[in-house]
Amino acid sequence: MTTPTPPHPPTQADTTSQAPEVETEAKDSGPNQGPNQRLRWLAFNASAAAAGHLTIWSVTGDPLAGVHLVAHMSTSVPQLGRAVLTGVAAWAGWKGARRIRLHRLPYGAALCTGAAFGAALWGQGTAPLIDDVMAVTQPWSGLLAPLLVVGPLGAACWWALDRHATDLRLPFRWLARIPLATVALTSALYAPGALL
């Protein structure tokens, strides 16, 4: 009487030969692949930008109110640059004072605060310098001025709202995308006027 032999367990070669087929099949059958994903992304962002633009239009009564705001902000790039440089200089003064360990000296907190205040005072005086640089680099500075204004504004919209909404449901992600998409649409509408 012979005893039946038990089936042999699968070897590593058997399991590895089947695994890539499963991964490839999962990748190919995903609903987010190809042109459908691009169309959904375009519809998502375009509808958010349209909602934001229509909101601005309904509040101000002017369909190009955002474009006019970007135009006004672009003419005040030296003042905006001065404000940014003042903040960056104050932060750098504080960090620099701590790097050279002024905070360990007697009255160290006051020394660090004084370094930040002195650097901020330097930043306050940079508006004429920025204005001179823009005059020398014309016409490029005039063409790039809207990007200098809209870029930080769009980054602030992304940082404050959009990045926190990635795990939320679709309607909430769409609501969080409205400010960023509106800023992008407004800058795109202003760009032809800046080029002229």
Side-chain angles (χ1 to χ4, degrees):
M1 178 166 159
T2 61
T3 59
T5 57
H8 71 282
T11 62
Q12 185 178 6
D14 294 336
T15 57
T16 56
S17 65
Q18 294 172 355
E21 293 175 33
V22 172
E23 289 178 14
T24 307
E25 193 174 311
K27 285 181 185 176
D28 292 339
S29 64
N32 293 333
Q33 299 296 324
N36 287 338
Q37 182 183 11
R38 288 185 220 114
L39 289 175
R40 278 195 298 269
W41 179 87
L42 182 63
F44 181 79
N45 288 298
S47 62
H53 207 68
L54 289 174
T55 303
I56 292 173
W57 187 359
S58 65
V59 169
T60 62
D62 183 7
L64 296 177
V67 176
H68 299 311
L69 179 64
V70 170
H72 290 303
M73 289 173 69
S74 297
T75 59
S76 60
V77 165
Q79 290 77 19
L80 292 171
R82 176 182 66 191
V84 169
L85 282 177
T86 300
V88 169
W91 176 82
W94 176 267
K95 291 301 261 185
R98 291 188 63 82
R99 171 122 0 227
I100 61 173
R101 305 196 191 284
L102 286 181
H103 63 285
R104 294 188 178 187
L105 297 175
Y107 306 105
L111 291 172
C112 291
T113 303
F117 185 70
L121 286 177
W122 172 84
Q124 279 292 307
T126 57
L129 175 66
I130 296 171
D131 204 17
D132 290 342
V133 168
M134 288 185 69
V136 168
T137 58
Q138 280 292 2
W140 295 107
S141 59
L143 294 175
L144 294 177
L147 292 177
L148 296 174
V149 170
V150 173
L153 188 61
C157 290
W158 173 83
W159 185 81
L161 295 171
D162 202 59
R163 72 183 181 111
H164 298 295
T166 55
D167 295 333
L168 299 178
R169 292 181 178 266
L170 183 65
F172 298 109
R173 281 197 324 249
W174 182 80
L175 286 172
R177 179 65 56 93
I178 287 175
L180 178 60
T182 304
V183 167
L185 176 63
T186 301
S187 63
L189 291 174
Y190 176 70
L195 291 173
L196 295 175

